[in-house]
Amino acid sequence: MSSYNLTAVILAAGLGTRMKSKLPKVLHKITGVPMINHVLQALEQAQIQRKILVLGHGAKEVEEQVGVSVEVVYQREQLGTGHAVLQTRPLLEKCTGPVLVVCGDTPLLRGETLAELIEKHEKGKQAVTVLTAQVENPYGYGRIVRQGGKIVAIREEKDATMEEKKITEINTGTYCFSGPFLVEALDKLTSANAQGEYYLTDLIELAVKAGLNVESFILEDSRESLGINNRLQLAQAEKIMQKRILEKLMLDGVTIIDPDNTYVEAKVSIGQDTILYPGTYLQGDTIIGSDCLIGPNTRIVSSKIGNNNTIQNTVILESQINDNCQIGPFAYLRPGTVIEEGVKIGDFVEIKKSTIGKGSKVPHLTYVGDAFVGKKVNIGCGTITCNYDGEKKHVTIIKDGAFIGSNSNLVAPVTIEENAFIAAGSTITEDVPENSLGIARGKQKNIINWVKKKKD
Ligand code: UD1
Ligand code: CA
């Protein structure tokens, strides 16, 4: 492929009116990644060196999202797809190789498909090769008009006759043009149609009429062609892409008990022999090791999870868990948490921005915030690190081997030294030295026969 000098033009200036959204259409996410990034990734896979992005509505937001890997051209007024490509003409003038044109709103197209399209185009020396698809419901798409089997035109829904509307072969909005043909032909487009727009699709008829060679390439899997114009299509695309991700994971050795109830975003990676139970939702840049049991009903966002961990009914955000840990059920790990090896975090435990050292246990009903917990620490049921004084957050340090009795309050800033022991029910406001007992509660008094006397 790389022997051709490949350029791609990506059309993404439209408002996306039918999305009914403040957000530019191409920034709507599918499997956690903006649509435009899916398109750019496919171009990357097809080894396209030069990418020219046409932006208009929400240009600034889209530019921020795509970064510096693309050249940007502005289309100030959205006068149609032909007009959009026309804006890139100064940049195409020296293009001798093929120019791929894709829409920013067809995120399911695969890199392999684009590579095949380019190859077919180059072999046949066409003026243009159109990527088409056979679909059940062609409504809204441009129809492929053929004569004697040869493609002769593309007719938009709004301009189609009753007969043409019955055609089920559609234009995917993806084309491979000969650069010199495109540069020359763009000038000839007019807006004499039902929408008063400059249609890029008119170049097909133009080429045919000029006696040039025009071909089509029919998609094997028509689902790749799904164009996202509204939120129904957004949900359909999500489903299709989700299926792709889960199938790949399964083939790579991950067990997914119920793929219809498991969600894994595009950037997530999972090691072999990990099992995902239903209701698992893995998002962002999450990395999960091998031999883990995840779920049921667990959400993990942008976190790094090691090997051989069991995580049930838990929410984990921007945290790190090393190997051999047991988390949940019903734990909540908030950003900045680091759980070292062999730790147990049990039910109804919330941990925020804290480190829990190797082999420590926080088995139930506990809040740990802004704390450094050492190795082999046991934190009893109902312990609270009182980290907030109403104005500022303070740090709690619990060193190796310490034992925190149940229902203790550790009022930060405070340090519990190595192997110290906190009596249950204590409110600790001062540091506790190593190997010492910290006890801070009212002394018990028994009033003998108090109940009996009261009754008398
Ligand atoms: C277009 C095609 C149609 C095809 C369909 C595939 C035309 C005239 N029609 O229709 O044949 O079946 O895609 O999904 O090309 N855009 C601009 N500037 C504009 C207009 C559009 O950049 O002035 C961009 C949009 O942001 C979008 C893409 O071009 O990413 C397609 O535009 P859209 O309005 O969605 O075209 P369709 O009506 O879907
Ligand atoms: Ca579209």
Side-chain angles (χ1 to χ4, degrees):
M1 268 303 98
S2 46
S3 58
Y4 312 127
N5 168 23
L6 296 175
T7 302
V9 173
I10 308 116
L11 307 184
L15 178 60
T17 320
R18 293 163 278 182
M19 291 300 281
K20 307 210 168 140
S21 178
K22 294 183 287 297
L23 194 66
K25 174 160 81 173
V26 295
L27 291 187
H28 280 264
K29 289 180 179 174
I30 296 169
T31 62
V33 173
M35 236 185 269
I36 188 72
N37 294 79
H38 284 293
V39 174
L40 293 175
Q41 202 197 338
L43 294 172
E44 215 44 65
Q45 282 165 0
Q47 292 176 25
I48 305 230
Q49 298 97 355
R50 189 176 184 206
K51 303 183 211 64
I52 306 169
L53 184 57
V54 183
L55 294 179
H57 283 283
K60 209 169 150 254
E61 285 167 273
V62 180
E63 260 187 282
E64 273 167 23
Q65 178 57 41
V66 298
V68 293
S69 64
V70 296
E71 292 165 63
V72 172
V73 166
Y74 301 99
Q75 185 194 20
R76 313 242 169 240
E77 259 184 305
Q78 282 72 50
L79 303 178
T81 48
H83 181 257
V85 179
L86 186 62
Q87 310 311 304
T88 69
R89 208 176 63 167
L91 293 178
L92 298 179
E93 245 142 34
K94 288 196 189 102
C95 272
T96 50
V99 178
L100 190 70
V101 176
V102 298
C103 293
D105 66 350
T106 50
L108 298 179
L109 280 171
R110 295 174 193 262
E112 302 98 87
T113 304
L114 299 177
E116 275 180 77
L117 173 70
I118 296 164
E119 199 171 299
K120 174 152 190 192
H121 176 85
E122 283 301 276
K123 273 197 187 134
K125 306 230 177 313
Q126 282 91 249
V128 50
T129 311
V130 186
L131 185 67
T132 74
Q134 278 291 351
V135 296
E136 258 170 48
N137 178 14
Y139 179 80
Y141 290 99
R143 307 298 207 282
I144 304 299
V145 182
R146 291 181 181 274
Q147 262 168 28
K150 284 290 258 182
I151 178 168
V152 292
I154 297 176
R155 197 79 67 230
E156 292 306 300
E157 178 80 37
K158 289 191 175 131
D159 302 285
T161 62
M162 288 309 278
E163 271 314 298
E164 286 167 339
K165 279 184 181 158
K166 288 184 195 149
I167 299 171
T168 52
E169 186 184 3
I170 59 127
N171 168 28
T172 63
T174 311
Y175 327 78
C176 194
F177 289 97
S178 121
F181 164 74
L182 183 62
V183 167
E184 196 207 296
L186 278 171
D187 261 347
K188 299 182 186 143
L189 289 178
T190 69
S191 56
N193 53 54
Q195 305 191 81
E197 286 183 4
Y198 294 87
Y199 291 164
L200 183 65
T201 45
D202 284 349
L203 290 183
I204 302 333
E205 202 166 355
L206 231 132
V208 169
K209 285 193 172 146
L212 298 169
N213 191 7
V214 178
E215 277 297 338
S216 62
F217 177 54
I218 305 181
L219 265 180
E220 211 167 287
D221 180 358
S222 67
R223 289 173 305 179
E224 274 188 56
S225 66
L226 183 63
I228 314 301
N229 297 316
N230 59 44
R231 310 239 188 182
L232 295 181
Q233 290 163 330
L234 186 70
Q236 286 163 7
E238 177 76 37
K239 240 205 167 93
I240 294 167
M241 197 162 271
Q242 190 53 247
K243 196 158 174 265
R244 278 188 199 170
I245 291 172
L246 297 181
E247 284 177 2
K248 176 159 195 314
L249 285 171
M250 290 187 276
L251 292 174
D252 286 347
V254 176
T255 295
I256 299 175
I257 308 274
D258 182 1
D260 289 335
N261 284 298
T262 304
Y263 303 87
V264 179
E265 289 185 352
K267 286 190 273 178
V268 173
S269 77
I270 308 179
Q272 270 185 24
D273 288 318
T274 283
I275 301 178
L276 306 184
Y277 285 92
T280 293
Y281 198 171
L282 307 176
Q283 297 178 266
D285 298 309
T286 292
I287 299 173
I288 295 189
S290 49
D291 301 297
C292 291
L293 301 180
I294 313 280
N297 304 323
T298 290
R299 177 165 174 249
I300 302 177
V301 184
S302 298
S303 295
K304 192 166 180 294
I305 314 287
N307 303 321
N308 199 35
N309 293 301
T310 299
I311 302 173
Q312 353 170 18
N313 294 76
T314 284
V315 175
I316 300 175
L317 313 174
E318 295 163 42
S319 292
Q320 182 189 324
I321 295 175
N322 294 357
D323 300 342
N324 306 315
C325 295
Q326 258 185 290
I327 314 288
F330 314 114
Y332 180 24
L333 308 190
R334 290 166 51 196
T337 293
V338 176
I339 307 285
E340 290 177 353
E341 218 193 309
V343 166
K344 178 181 163 63
I345 304 292
D347 49 280
F348 307 105
V349 171
E350 175 177 343
I351 301 197
K352 184 216 107 180
K353 204 175 164 190
S354 296
T355 299
I356 311 290
K358 205 168 164 181
S360 290
K361 291 185 174 141
V362 192
H364 17 234
L365 294 157
T366 290
Y367 172 67
V368 177
D370 304 303
F372 294 95
V373 176
K375 297 183 195 118
K376 297 219 161 165
V377 169
N378 194 308
I379 296 187
C381 179
T383 298
I384 295 170
T385 56
C386 309
N387 60 328
Y388 186 48
D389 61 11
E391 263 178 52
K392 283 192 193 138
K393 301 282 170 68
H394 301 282
V395 170
T396 302
I397 299 171
I398 305 174
K399 295 201 179 163
D400 297 353
F403 182 98
I404 312 296
S406 293
N407 205 30
S408 296
N409 303 310
L410 308 175
V411 182
V414 71
T415 299
I416 314 298
E417 295 288 350
E418 268 179 41
N419 299 317
F421 198 105
I422 304 299
S426 293
T427 294
I428 299 294
T429 53
E430 283 165 34
D431 294 354
V432 180
E434 58 181 21
N435 298 309
S436 307
L437 171 70
I439 179 162
R441 63 187 187 213
K443 201 168 173 18
Q444 183 171 339
K445 185 162 88 177
N446 291 338
I447 303 176
I448 305 301
N449 284 331
W450 181 88
V451 176
K452 210 167 155 218
K453 279 179 198 152
K454 194 179 167 216
K455 279 191 191 147
D456 294 345

